[in-house]
Every structure is written in structure tokens, then in C-alpha cells.
Amino acid sequence: MTQPAARKRVLSGIQPSGNLHLGNYFGAIRQFVELQETLDCYYFIADYHALTTIQDRDRLRTYSRDVAATYLALGVDPERAVFWRQSDVPEVCELTWLLLTVTGVGLLERAHSYKDKVAKNIRPSGGLFAYPALMAADILAFDTDFVPVGKDQVQHIEMTQDMAASFNAAYGEVLHRPEPRMSPVPRVPGTDWERDADGEFKRDEAGRRMPQKMSKSYGNTIEIFAEGKALKRAVGGITTDSKALGEPMDPDDCLVFQLTELFLDEAETEALRGRYREGCGYGEVKKLLIAKIDERFGPHRERKRELLADPDYLEDVLASGAARARAVARATLDRARDASGLGAPPSA
Ligand code: ADP
Ligand code: TRP
């Protein structure tokens, strides 16, 4: 009898460095839920990574719990996907060290996450510098085939491929090469336009203003679970031009359109374009966006509240996920340690 082919393995993580937003949903979480139907899925809360920005134990714990409840409320199913907290599998730190020893400083210096900080005159910590090696260890410890991420993370996956190749060149075929799996919505716009250091709008080749990426670090997010007044405030805060009612508006130069479009099918998008030509006013579109957010996420809000009210359940889920994850990472570490000559030699 032939064995069924092993299912491809998918792995991804999200940092608990703030409340999760529409960028995280469309760029990451939506795929996490879809992929668990057919693939061998590993998802985790990247709390070691978050230490590069959050150094406050209560905030880190609160965000970690919030991310866990958000994943589960939106449909990540711990029966089908392995779901854990990164720091419960400390093997990844050991693999980070092994990878750093085969990685040139030049590679780490080219990371956007590092270069951006340097460009902003922020003196990065050693942890931020080594961040791509920790991310590579997360991926390589689990023999990952695919990493579903938004566009901003693709460079990190390419660096992971380089680190795996360097390790294997030194010690033989120990680590498995992963591929990025880009989300169909790789870059969700934030509530504002991108500007350069002089405050001028950044423009694409066609001269159009470019939205800034929605990100916890830019304070331009709409949170997945915002509701009521907070949701109104977030959507109300999306930058728009001043236009008189009835004056035609350009959907392709409008952040509210770009965000609302994420929730619409083709026919609805065409209809909305029509309303723009008629000059419907931004207020109407903002109301539509709020309605769409309520419709999509409303049914999951209660589930999230229940999960947050039951920390013991959340911890149980994370602990059993960590036990499963740890066994896999341990096996990879044993291979990597042996290949590199660490620890006692195998008995003769
Ligand atoms: P943030 O920039 O808000 O800190 P993270 O870096 O924690 O977000 O991202 C977690 C996941 O969500 C990653 O896979 C990332 O690619 C995805 N993601 C974050 N922001 C966006 C966005 N604006 N558009 C698409 N994907 C995004
Ligand atoms: N660096 C990722 C981010 O900020 C989070 C992350 C950590 C991750 N380890 C990972 C994503 C491994 C995918 C795979 O979004």
C-alpha cells in the first residue's frame, strides 16, 4: 500500500505588540483560517519578537492574551492547527544562535526592519539586529514548507532561505528551505498617506499618492474588534479630501475606498465606483465601511469576549499547542546540534 503524501507544512506568527488590525486580518489571519482546512498548520504568538518593542510585563501579557483570543475567535482551530506561544518553545533561541554563527553581519544590516530604525536615527538593540535570525529559527525549527505573510515580511523569508543554505553548506542537509506564500491582499493601507522625511506625499509612477501600510507602529490602524464609538472614531479618522457633495470623487485616490473594497465583491465594488462618480460624499462611504466591519467581525466579538473571560482555557490551549510544537522543534535541534558537533558525541 502506498503511503498518502505528507501534507505540506505552513507556519506563521504574529507579534503581540498591540491590538490586531485589518492589515493583520487580510494580510495574515484570514489565510491562517483557510489553510488549516487542507494543510499541516503551525501558528504562534511571537512574544520573543515583541520584546524588541515592548518592555513591560503587564502589557506584553495582556497583548499576548489578546492575540490568542483574536486568533481563536476568528476561527483558528486548535484541533486542526498547532497553536502556541513562542516563548514556551525556547529551542528556537538555541537555533537562533546556531544560525547567527553562520550569518554575515552584512545580511542582517540589509534587513528593512533594521535599516528603517537606523534611518530614523533610532539606535537599534542587538535584539532588533538579530531579529531576522530569530524569525528564521522559528521557521526552520519546524521544517516549514510555506510561510503565509504580507509583503513586508517577504525579505525575512528570503533571509531565512539564505541562513538555511549557509547552515547546510557548513554541516550538510539539516534544514529545510521554506517559501513565502504571499497573501492575496499583501499590503492593506492605513488611515493615512505615506510621506517622506520632509512631510511631502510619496507618489507612485503615475503620480498618485501612496497609502502608508497599516501598522501598529504607525498608529494608523483600524482594529479588527473595534466597535461602537471607537470604530466610528477610527473610521472617521481616515484622511479624506474636502469635496462638495455632488462633486465627482476619485476612488483610486481615496483611502476609504481602498479599505472598503476589501469587504466587497466585484459587483459591489463597481456600484461603489458609480457612487464616487456621482459625488456621494465620504461620509456615506465611511458609514458603509463601518457596516461592513460590523457585518464581518460582529459575530466573532462575543466569542472573543468569552475567551478573554476564561484565561484558564486559553492557557490550556496554548500549553497543549506548545507540547506538540516543542516535540517537533526538539527533533530539529537534535539534528542541528549533532551536525555542528555540540553536546556529547553519539555513543559508539
Ligand atoms: P504590524 O506592522 O502592525 O506590527 P506585524 O508585523 O505584527 O504587524 O504583522 C503580522 C502579520 O500581519 C504579518 O504576516 C504581516 O505581513 C501582516 N500584516 C501586517 N500589516 C499588514 C498590512 N498593512 N497589510 C498586509 N499584511 C499586513
Ligand atoms: N516578524 C513577523 C512580523 O512582525 C512575526 C514573526 C515572527 C513571524 N516569527 C515568524 C512570521 C515566523 C512568520 C514566520 O510580522
Side-chain angles (χ1 to χ4, degrees), residues 12-156:
S12 200
I14 295 198
Q15 293 193 61
S17 50
N19 292 335
L20 299 185
H21 52 75
L22 299 183
N24 298 134
Y25 178 73
F26 287 103
I29 301 171
R30 189 169 63 165
Q31 281 73 254
F32 295 180
V33 175
E34 283 165 12
L35 293 169
Q36 68 187 0
E37 302 298 326
T38 47
L39 298 167
D40 187 25
C41 291
Y42 282 67
Y43 302 132
F44 63 95
I45 302 165
D47 58 345
Y48 280 140
H49 278 101
L51 284 181
T52 59
T53 47
I54 297 197
Q55 284 151 9
D56 174 326
R57 94 202 266 261
D58 292 339
R59 275 179 65 215
L60 187 63
R61 294 233 162 97
T62 303
Y63 285 143
S64 295
R65 204 175 320 124
D66 197 84
V67 171
T70 299
Y71 271 55
L72 297 177
L74 290 172
V76 166
D77 175 0
E79 299 289 319
R80 280 186 284 183
V82 183
F83 178 50
W84 76 101
R85 177 170 44 214
Q86 184 185 30
S87 60
D88 289 337
V89 183
E91 278 77 5
V92 293
C93 289
E94 184 174 359
L95 186 56
T96 303
W97 175 250
L98 292 179
L99 294 173
L100 281 172
T101 59
V102 295
T103 301
V105 167
L107 184 80
L108 297 172
E109 279 171 344
R110 285 194 290 280
H112 300 310
S113 45
Y114 172 75
K115 281 205 315 204
D116 290 352
K117 293 276 182 334
V118 175
K120 286 185 187 143
N121 277 329
I122 300 171
R123 259 175 76 83
S125 66
L128 190 84
F129 189 58
Y131 180 115
L134 175 58
M135 179 155 163
D138 289 331
I139 296 168
L140 298 171
F142 295 92
D143 293 332
T144 304
D145 295 301
F146 297 112
V147 187
V149 282
K151 195 172 172 193
D152 58 329
Q153 294 297 318
V154 171
Q155 188 198 31
H156 287 145

Side-chain angles (χ1 to χ4, degrees), residues 190-262:
T191 57
D192 53 2
W193 299 103
E194 184 149 4
R195 292 171 188 267
D196 62 21
D198 304 321
E200 298 294 328
F201 290 122
K202 280 207 178 165
R203 292 183 186 274
D204 62 15
E205 295 99 65
R208 285 189 198 285
R209 290 178 293 184
M210 295 178 8
Q212 173 153 250
K213 175 192 118 105
M214 184 175 285
S215 171
K216 286 167 235 151
S217 10
Y218 304 148
N220 64 354
T221 65
I222 297 177
E223 292 175 8
I224 299 172
F225 284 110
E227 58 182 314
K229 274 194 191 142
L231 176 57
K232 253 185 140 173
R233 211 175 315 119
V235 171
I238 302 173
T239 312
T240 51
D241 303 330
S242 52
K243 281 237 158 74
L245 224 53
E247 197 184 334
M249 298 143 55
D250 178 2
D252 298 310
D253 190 36
C254 176
L255 293 167
V256 196
F257 181 84
Q258 294 187 25
L259 284 163
T260 309
E261 199 186 8
L262 298 169

Side-chain angles (χ1 to χ4, degrees), residues 286-326:
K286 285 185 172 177
K287 270 204 189 118
L288 175 64
L289 176 56
I290 291 173
K292 288 289 168 187
I293 292 174
D294 278 334
E295 184 183 302
R296 176 74 61 99
F297 301 117
H300 303 282
R301 287 178 190 144
E302 192 45 40
R303 180 68 189 135
K304 187 182 173 206
R305 272 193 279 273
E306 283 166 17
L307 286 161
L308 282 179
D310 194 352
D312 290 346
Y313 171 76
L314 282 180
E315 282 308 320
D316 280 353
V317 166
L318 292 173
S320 61
R324 289 167 70 190
R326 205 160 180 193

